[in-house]
Amino acid sequence: MTGAGIVVVGGGVAGFSAVQELRSRGYEGPLSVVSPEGLPYDRPPLSKGYLLGTEDAEKIQLAPASWYPEHDVAVVASRAAALELDGARPALTLDDGTRLAADRLLLATGGLPRPLAVPGGETALTLRSRADSDALRALLEPGTRLTIVGAGLIGAEVASAAASLGAEVTLVDPVETPLAPAVGEDLARRLHSMHAERGIRTVVGLPERISDAPQHAPDAARYLVHLADGSAVPADVVLAAIGIAPDTALAEAAGLEVEDGVLVGPDGATSHPAVFAAGDAVRVRQPGGVVGVPLRRAEHWEAAVRSGQAAAAGMLGEAPPEFGAPWFWSDRHGVHVEAAGTMDPRRAPGARTVLRVADGVAAAAFLLAEDGHLLGCAAVDQPLVVRAARRIIDRGIIPDPQRLADPSVDPRKLTR
Ligand SMILES: Cc1cc2nc3c(=O)[nH]c(=O)nc-3n(C[C@H](O)[C@H](O)[C@H](O)COP(=O)(O)OP(=O)(O)OC[C@H]3O[C@@H](n4cnc5c(N)ncnc54)[C@H](O)[C@@H]3O)c2cc1C
């Protein structure tokens, strides 16, 4: 058995942020990251610049190779096959049989794409890793018929990238206005309509099965994606972009408390005192509020960074930093989308939406609670508006709805 100190399982942004935070908080003990794909890398470019070929593998690394020896961090390019918690210290068995013990262990195992659970669904690709992005990219040529099931964040980004690579893209989603819970109805409508403006076919439908297409003509597509209304979409390549499930395999097998995510406190503490967890794999227990009901899982980059940092503090026995409203971004069709807080009115009865319209289009949307507090903001190409909204939410300011709506009001003055 080798090792001790702190071992991080998973080389995504949560694991990497924890490692970075441990060193910047002055932790000087042994530190390793178990990362089967080698040096930690970032996932958002996999559906954007990396898929397009404008960013390469080195560019998307979370730190250059030299950073790890400089910070005395060992990267163990193996998969953790099992976690044992019945000894004095947590111990991992790696897939090459090596055993690795830890004083503190962080599970940052991320998420796994949900498979398309219909007959023939196994033919659909998914996108989570660099290898997935490579495999998809290799199939995208001008004229490739790509059908994407799921028009959420990743589906829409891939549609945009694939269309600019010349693919003929069809986006299938059972919902008329995908993303409405994330950015509000108005911006979701605007964003979804951009697909059709750029030659992407959008179909409201529910896939029921995927079959091989009849090969009568030389240009016959490889597959048919059959929808519930009886229609079928021809496809050379099918991508399922229908969300993720938390990767809780190690945690569950080790007997940790898991409920649609490894259950953790605000400091990443799991049900075992020496094991912490962070990132897309976790669900945070609510500190106050509804007793016993954990928060929804966050599946965004910044949330993963923050939870990695919080778990680093937790592993050192320090208080986790306070973080404000959650935030995410998305890039597609040359526009930059950001959202902070929540834009889902179902989570706040009585809430109302205020729009900021610029040049005739909805540029930003604000969700205001019944009492006037700002709950969320989403915007297209308006990062300063979202930044201001975040401050308003975090400070609990009650904003003037007229100033929010007025595009001539400088976003930097919205907090006053
Ligand atoms: C294509 C794509 C585009 C995205 N775009 C955006 C965006 O624009 N904006 C945004 O806010 N968010 C975006 N996200 C979401 C964001 O990237 C994730 O929230 C973030 O990567 C989660 O980080 P994580 O470290 O928790 O998990 P991951 O990044 O999934 O990392 C987990 C790591 O753990 C490893 N692992 C799992 N099991 C084991 C094991 N047993 N042993 C060792 N290692 C293991 C995995 O191989 C993986 O490397 C995107 C995600 C994807 C996939």
Side-chain angles (χ1 to χ4, degrees), residues 34-395:
V34 179
S35 173
E37 297 166 275
L39 293 182
Y41 66 88
D42 216 4
R43 275 161 220 275
L46 301 179
S47 50
K48 309 176 184 75
Y50 187 77
L51 184 61
L52 279 167
T54 55
E55 290 174 275
D56 63 12
E58 201 180 334
K59 180 95 195 289
I60 69 168
Q61 283 171 0
L62 288 160
S66 57
W67 187 90
Y68 300 89
E70 279 163 17
H71 292 82
D72 202 9
V73 174
V75 178
V76 182
S78 260
R79 173 162 288 277
L83 168 63
E84 282 163 43
L85 296 176
D86 40 14
R89 294 183 298 182
L92 290 173
T93 305
L94 306 184
D95 56 6
D96 63 2
T98 311
R99 304 237 314 145
L100 201 57
D103 298 314
R104 292 275 180 280
L105 187 125
L106 176 70
L107 293 173
T109 48
L112 295 170
R114 287 189 195 279
L116 191 57
V118 299
E122 65 284 353
T123 55
L125 305 180
T126 53
L127 177 56
R128 183 74 190 175
S129 66
R130 199 168 48 204
D132 295 338
S133 188
D134 290 338
L136 176 61
R137 178 71 180 85
L139 295 169
L140 295 180
E141 287 171 4
T144 303
R145 284 157 289 196
L146 169 68
T147 295
I148 302 172
V149 179
L153 292 167
I154 291 178
E157 291 185 347
V158 172
S160 164
S164 53
L165 290 168
E168 285 176 26
V169 184
T170 305
L171 258 177
V172 179
D173 197 290
V175 174
E176 190 92 37
T177 322
L179 270 194
V183 297
E185 189 69 32
D186 302 86
L187 289 191
R189 220 176 300 119
R190 173 178 168 197
L191 290 168
H192 199 54
S193 69
M194 291 178 85
H195 295 306
E197 287 158 19
R198 281 155 182 81
I200 292 165
R201 191 175 154 222
T202 54
V203 175
V204 179
L206 193 63
E208 277 195 329
R209 79 191 156 91
I210 300 176
S211 68
D212 287 336
Q215 298 298 306
H216 301 314
D219 66 343
R222 186 157 172 210
Y223 303 113
L224 286 175
V225 180
H226 300 269
L227 306 181
D229 67 0
S231 64
V233 181
D236 302 313
V237 181
V238 183
L239 177 78
I242 52 174
I244 61 161
D247 187 345
T248 56
L250 277 180
E252 260 176 275
L256 294 173
E257 277 181 36
V258 171
E259 197 187 309
D260 187 31
V262 184
L263 290 180
V264 295
D267 60 353
T270 68
S271 52
H272 186 284
V275 181
F276 290 71
D280 281 6
V282 307
R283 216 164 146 222
V284 182
R285 294 176 196 277
Q286 285 207 47
V290 191
V291 177
V293 180
L295 295 177
R296 285 167 50 150
R297 277 185 299 109
E299 295 171 0
H300 298 304
W301 184 91
E302 193 192 63
V305 170
R306 288 172 162 189
S307 77
Q309 292 168 341
M315 286 189 284
L316 298 178
E318 297 169 10
E322 296 248 331
F323 298 115
W327 170 87
F328 74 86
W329 86 97
S330 173
D331 295 305
R332 79 279 291 283
H333 301 308
V335 300
H336 177 71
V337 184
E338 290 189 25
T342 177
M343 288 300 293
D344 188 352
R346 293 170 306 183
R347 295 171 70 188
R352 69 182 177 112
T353 300
V354 170
L355 287 182
R356 176 175 274 230
V357 177
D359 300 325
V361 285
F366 303 88
L367 188 69
L368 290 166
E370 208 169 13
D371 66 2
H373 278 98
L374 187 59
L375 297 169
C377 168
V380 177
D381 287 335
Q382 303 276 332
L384 291 181
V385 170
V386 179
R387 197 185 299 171
R390 259 184 127 176
R391 277 200 212 110
I392 293 172
I393 298 170
D394 292 346
R395 292 182 195 165

Side-chain angles (χ1 to χ4, degrees), residues 2-19:
T2 57
I6 297 180
V7 175
V8 173
V9 183
V13 75
F16 176 77
S17 302
V19 165

